[in-house]
Amino acid sequence: MSSVIVSVLYFLITLGVVLLIWWLYHEFTILMAKRYCKFLNEDEFQKRIRKSQVIDLRESKAFNDGHILGARNMPYSTFRSFYQELRPDLPVYLYDQNKTLSMKAAKLLHKKGFKDISILDEGYQRWDGKIKKG
């Protein structure tokens, strides 16, 4: 085999291994998060939205471009400074563009004693419910 073919094969194998490791890490992170929070699909999230504190963890510009009706903006970049404004006796519903930031915020809330934490499973990117702009 030529050295080009061997190099391409090594690259593809390396890429495959890296992707497998990333996927395993992602799945492990979700599994660990399920110990202290629930992942809700859009229907479950919408059913309980009125009885919870809905927190949009995206930055203000993204929030102003459109957010779930009734959500409060608390960007993840400032979340550590402002999570104390949340009531630990009420459910907290978190979302961001996908769910990466929500899992980090849920972990922090859990460490601070919050018990009822839920995450929008598919994130805002797949939200079909009511939204508010501006």
Side-chain angles (χ1 to χ4, degrees):
M1 271 197 256
S2 78
S3 63
V4 172
I5 293 174
V6 171
S7 295
V8 168
L9 285 175
Y10 281 134
F11 172 77
L12 291 174
I13 290 169
T14 303
L15 181 63
V17 169
V18 167
L19 289 173
L20 177 63
I21 290 170
W22 175 84
W23 180 79
L24 288 172
Y25 173 77
H26 181 70
E27 292 302 311
F28 178 75
T29 304
I30 291 172
L31 183 64
M32 293 287 92
K34 286 183 178 180
R35 293 180 310 149
Y36 49 81
C37 68
K38 294 174 263 188
F39 289 86
L40 303 177
N41 64 36
E42 184 177 327
D43 289 339
E44 294 168 321
F45 199 89
Q46 279 185 318
K47 284 179 189 172
R48 303 175 186 149
I49 209 167
R50 293 195 194 287
K51 298 176 183 168
S52 63
Q53 304 168 91
V54 181
I55 307 301
D56 185 324
L57 295 163
R58 300 173 303 145
E59 293 301 318
S60 298
K61 183 183 180 332
F63 180 81
N64 291 333
D65 287 344
H67 57 272
I68 294 174
L69 192 62
R72 173 179 171 193
N73 189 218
M74 194 176 286
Y76 183 74
S77 60
T78 61
F79 191 73
R80 285 190 177 278
S81 300
F82 294 102
Y83 78 88
Q84 298 96 334
E85 296 176 10
L86 299 174
R87 290 181 49 183
D89 60 320
L90 293 176
V92 178
Y93 281 28
L94 302 168
Y95 74 91
D96 60 285
Q97 196 60 26
N98 41 52
K99 65 182 163 205
T100 307
L101 299 177
S102 296
M103 288 192 299
K104 291 177 182 181
K107 185 176 183 178
L108 172 70
L109 291 175
H110 172 70
K111 286 180 178 179
K112 300 299 182 179
F114 286 74
K115 302 289 185 218
D116 194 351
I117 308 165
S118 297
I119 294 173
L120 179 59
D121 194 28
E122 296 294 324
Y124 186 74
Q125 66 184 356
R126 298 269 171 92
W127 182 258
D128 261 349
K130 293 180 181 178
I131 63 168
K132 181 178 181 183
K133 295 191 181 222

